[in-house]
Amino acid sequence: MDCKFSGGEVKKVRLDDRKLKILAAVVDEYIRTGEPVGSKALVELSGLSVSSATVRNDMAALESLGFLEQPHTSAGRIPTFQGYRFYIERLMKPEPLSLKERGMIDDMLGKDGAVTAESVIETATEALAQLTGCATFNTKNMPQISVITRVEVIPAGRRLYALLILTSSGAIKNRICRMEFDLTDDQLEFFDRFLNENLHGMKLDQLNPSLIQNLAAAMGSYMMTLTPLLYAVYELSNEFAASNVNLKGETRLLTNGEFDPGEVMRFLSHKNDLAQLLSSVFDGIHVVFGQEENTLAITNSSMILSKYNLGKIDAGSLGVIGPVRLDYAKMIPYIKYFSDSVTRMLSASEEFAEEGEEDERKEEGSNGGS
């Protein structure tokens, strides 16, 4: 399984077949039970025709290599992070999704008729949480995958105006702006027309201070009265640009007996710190162990994630957070299928949107020529 690991690399050592079977058996059993694994149990689990003493010697050798550890003197062994890395990369046998499982996921992703990027990603995150029983997350690189489709200014009271920005991804941001005076119908009509003529189809990350200054100057006699609203549009666009992490099923972290509730609460209150870590992730499946990353500082936690794309553009990431003894053989194929499905659905919705815009342009051209 081609996985990348944050916080360390897979140790490059050669192990004989018996040690490989013993390490695989320890990890599998610990994932299943959460209890240290002893030599007697391993003789049965590994199917080796050797004595308990021989297995103990091999376990001690694996411990000296950093793959196993002994939590208590009289206890069996449990995997270390190095042990998990070696297991995932070289020993694990992924469990491919059955046709029934794939069909079920496809039905879950399509049941709400999700057609915008926002709805596709949110539906996938909720479905992944439901199927895995874990807390799930997503990140969205909205400035790179979204363009402005509509800007509206709506009177909301005396000297109050609601400003809305809608994007091609289906996302909406709004805020209430207080002016020093009431705007006339003529000013509102001009501003609405001016914004949509100049901003429609523009990428969110193209809206910068220099552009705003040029647009303000282009408003001519309306500049003095409408510039405050124009800068509010810029500030609102920055809210789309701010990287964030969206979680589903946070209560599963709080109720998991393997986690310290205080650590979970600190993580949830600083969850956006994960954005920097996630932005450094490239294609493929990534595994992050909590104690090795300050941004995921929940003891005995693990995160599995994968990027999803819009065409060739990195559109964000999707994954699960749970105990370090996650069933990686099952979870990794799930996450791979979900990220691939989101990529496919985003690309399909983008093609549909482009076709719609092309039809609209043709219709406008036809009307103009009549």
Side-chain angles (χ1 to χ4, degrees):
M1 173 61 65
D2 183 19
C3 293
K4 287 84 175 176
F5 298 90
S6 180
E9 296 181 351
V10 177
K11 183 172 281 190
K12 296 179 180 178
V13 297
R14 293 183 65 86
L15 298 177
D16 60 50
D17 288 345
R18 192 172 65 210
K19 289 186 179 65
L20 291 174
K21 288 183 179 180
I22 289 173
L23 179 57
V26 171
V27 178
D28 285 335
E29 185 67 5
Y30 185 66
I31 286 174
R32 190 180 71 83
T33 67
E35 298 292 334
V37 186
S39 56
K40 289 184 179 179
L42 275 176
V43 171
E44 298 179 7
L45 292 169
S46 62
L48 295 171
S49 301
V50 294
S51 67
S52 297
T54 300
V55 172
R56 276 197 300 274
N57 289 336
D58 284 341
M59 292 174 76
L62 290 168
E63 185 174 359
S64 67
L65 289 169
F67 292 128
L68 299 178
E69 62 183 344
Q70 194 171 23
H72 307 291
T73 306
S74 58
R77 264 79 168 187
I78 64 174
T80 63
F81 295 128
Q82 273 293 0
Y84 278 114
R85 287 195 193 96
F86 193 96
Y87 169 84
I88 294 169
E89 185 66 26
R90 306 191 188 176
L91 301 177
M92 184 184 73
K93 296 178 181 178
E95 300 176 20
L97 273 63
S98 66
L99 288 176
K100 182 178 179 181
E101 288 174 314
R102 290 171 182 251
M104 179 174 60
I105 294 172
D106 293 342
D107 288 343
M108 295 175 77
L109 294 179
K111 67 179 180 180
D112 296 324
V115 291
T116 66
E118 283 279 330
S119 58
V120 166
I121 296 163
E122 289 302 309
T123 299
T125 308
E126 292 174 0
L128 185 60
Q130 184 177 336
L131 285 177
T132 63
C134 290
T136 58
F137 68 89
N138 69 65
T139 64
K140 300 185 283 286
N141 298 334
M142 283 304 170
Q144 296 181 38
I145 68 173
S146 298
V147 298
I148 297 171
T149 56
R150 180 72 184 165
V151 182
E152 294 184 13
V153 180
I154 303 169
R158 182 173 172 78
R159 299 180 182 179
L160 294 177
Y161 297 88
L163 181 64
L164 294 85
I165 298 180
L166 295 81
T167 74
S168 58
S169 69
I172 300 174
K173 292 284 185 183
N174 65 81
R175 69 162 53 182
I176 297 295
C177 302
R178 182 179 293 277
M179 302 290 284
E180 294 183 1
F181 39 78
D182 287 315
L183 298 177
T184 66
D185 290 343
D186 178 63
Q187 289 170 327
L188 285 172
E189 288 174 9
F190 169 83
F191 192 64
D192 180 77
R193 184 173 64 254
F194 179 83
L195 286 183
N196 286 290
E197 286 177 354
N198 287 279
L199 299 184
H200 178 80
M202 180 176 290
K203 287 187 176 182
L204 287 165
D205 54 4
Q206 291 178 309
L207 211 58
N208 55 50
S210 176
L211 175 65
I212 293 297
Q213 289 177 2
N214 291 336
L215 289 175
M219 288 193 296
S221 61
Y222 291 95
M223 182 176 71
M224 293 299 292
T225 54
L226 297 177
T227 292
L229 272 181
L230 185 60
Y231 275 94
V233 171
Y234 169 66
E235 292 171 356
L236 197 55
S237 71
N238 284 339
E239 294 184 16
F240 285 102
S243 294
N244 56 71
V245 178
N246 303 295
L247 287 176
K248 299 290 183 184
E250 299 99 316
T251 54
R252 291 166 180 164
L253 296 175
L254 288 166
T255 57
N256 191 304
E258 298 185 41
F259 297 150
D260 179 284
E263 290 184 346
V264 173
M265 289 302 297
R266 283 191 292 274
F267 164 72
L268 293 177
S269 63
H270 296 90
K271 63 183 180 183
N272 284 341
D273 291 346
L274 271 177
Q276 184 176 358
L277 169 65
L278 299 176
S279 66
S280 65
V281 171
F282 298 98
D283 291 338
I285 298 290
H286 289 252
V287 180
V288 179
F289 296 120
Q291 287 170 283
E292 298 183 322
E293 285 289 345
N294 292 331
T295 49
L296 184 59
I298 305 176
T299 304
N300 295 325
S301 68
S302 175
M303 180 168 65
I304 310 172
L305 68 143
S306 179
K307 290 282 191 180
Y308 58 84
N309 300 314
L310 176 59
K312 295 182 179 179
I313 299 174
D314 166 19
S317 55
L318 178 75
V320 303
I321 303 174
V324 72
R325 60 184 193 90
L326 284 171
D327 187 352
Y328 297 97
K330 189 65 178 176
M331 290 288 184
I332 288 175
Y334 262 128
I335 293 165
K336 178 74 166 59
Y337 190 78
F338 267 93
S339 62
D340 288 347
S341 296
V342 170
T343 293
R344 173 177 49 79
M345 293 176 73
L346 289 183
S347 298
S349 64
E350 181 73 2
E351 290 170 5
F352 178 79
E354 289 176 354
E355 289 174 4
E357 290 178 3
E358 180 64 26
D359 291 342
E360 186 178 325
R361 285 192 292 269
K362 288 179 180 178
E363 184 177 342
E364 289 176 354
S366 175
N367 292 337
S370 58

